[in-house]
Amino acid sequence: MKIRHIKPKDAKAFSKLTAQVEKEADYMLMEPGERSVSEEQQRSKIESILQETQSTILIAEINNEIVGYLVAMGTTVRRIKHTVYVAIGILADFQGKGIGTELFHELNVWAKEQGIHRLELTTAIENDRGYNLYKKAGFEIEGRKRDSLKINGKYVDEYYMAKILEDKI
């Protein structure tokens, strides 16, 4: 397995990956088929993210196939510049094989290099697999977002979770 930062040439494969993850997963924000991004739009988004120091996309490759990703989105707003919001997706066939753990490890390295102090995310309370991964990665529950999502006609609560990083590498 190889974890690396995304490149513009990954646009087509990344679009395919995100569409497949959204099709397979019960708890992603976007429903299957809801997002429609052309290869050129995806390439443009990747290029834009790569120009920012507070944002990145990490990808996991196995045998030159992208099987997972982790997006970290930051901001230039001074009062919250130390914070990034995290989203992760891994193809169903590759879950439970340590890919999420490795993506979070690389996120920690990158975040410390960028001076990031706080990582945050949300997860559906019913998403046991995701919750366990985030807890293993050092995230803690900070609150509950009631009726945050509507999945299959049912309102679902989410946990707010965060991890504070030490300020030294």
Side-chain angles (χ1 to χ4, degrees):
M1 172 181 27
K2 179 180 178 182
I3 306 293
R4 65 175 175 84
H5 292 269
I6 199 164
K7 297 175 184 170
K9 71 179 178 110
D10 297 315
K12 184 175 183 177
F14 185 64
S15 290
K16 182 180 173 189
L17 172 67
T18 55
Q20 186 64 31
V21 167
E22 288 166 356
K23 182 178 177 183
E24 295 175 349
D26 293 327
Y27 300 109
M28 298 302 286
L29 179 61
M30 300 282 194
E31 293 180 355
E34 184 175 356
R35 181 189 333 232
S36 176
V37 180
S38 72
E39 182 179 345
E40 190 51 44
Q41 288 170 321
Q42 189 69 268
R43 185 182 333 283
S44 179
K45 285 182 180 185
I46 291 168
E47 288 170 348
S48 176
I49 286 171
L50 291 176
Q51 292 176 5
E52 301 173 21
T53 59
Q54 300 303 105
S55 298
T56 195
I57 301 174
L58 297 169
I59 56 174
E61 286 182 320
I62 295 179
N63 298 324
N64 295 317
E65 177 188 358
I66 300 173
V67 299
Y69 66 88
L70 185 148
V71 177
M73 294 301 296
T75 180
T76 58
V77 176
R78 284 181 275 195
R79 289 189 175 179
I80 58 172
K81 190 175 180 181
H82 64 284
T83 301
V84 296
Y85 185 83
V86 179
I88 187 171
I90 300 168
L91 292 173
D93 288 346
F94 295 90
Q95 292 176 6
K97 300 181 186 309
I99 294 170
T101 300
E102 288 301 314
L103 284 165
F104 275 110
H105 172 75
E106 286 301 315
L107 172 66
N108 290 337
V109 171
W110 170 84
K112 289 177 183 181
E113 290 171 352
Q114 302 309 314
I116 303 297
H117 179 70
R118 177 183 168 84
L119 307 173
E120 29 183 62
L121 56 81
T122 58
T123 187
I125 288 175
E126 299 170 358
N127 182 5
D128 294 330
R129 180 172 239 156
Y131 171 77
N132 289 331
L133 171 63
Y134 308 143
K135 189 171 169 115
K136 180 179 176 182
F139 285 77
E140 298 178 1
I141 296 171
E142 292 189 331
R144 185 179 190 128
K145 200 173 168 185
R146 297 180 328 152
D147 291 353
S148 178
L149 304 170
K150 192 171 186 181
I151 301 174
N152 298 324
K154 178 184 167 203
Y155 291 105
V156 176
D157 292 358
E158 285 185 295
Y159 287 131
Y160 278 112
M161 298 184 77
K163 177 179 180 177
I164 305 300
L165 301 172
E166 295 181 25
D167 285 335
K168 58 184 175 183
I169 294 179

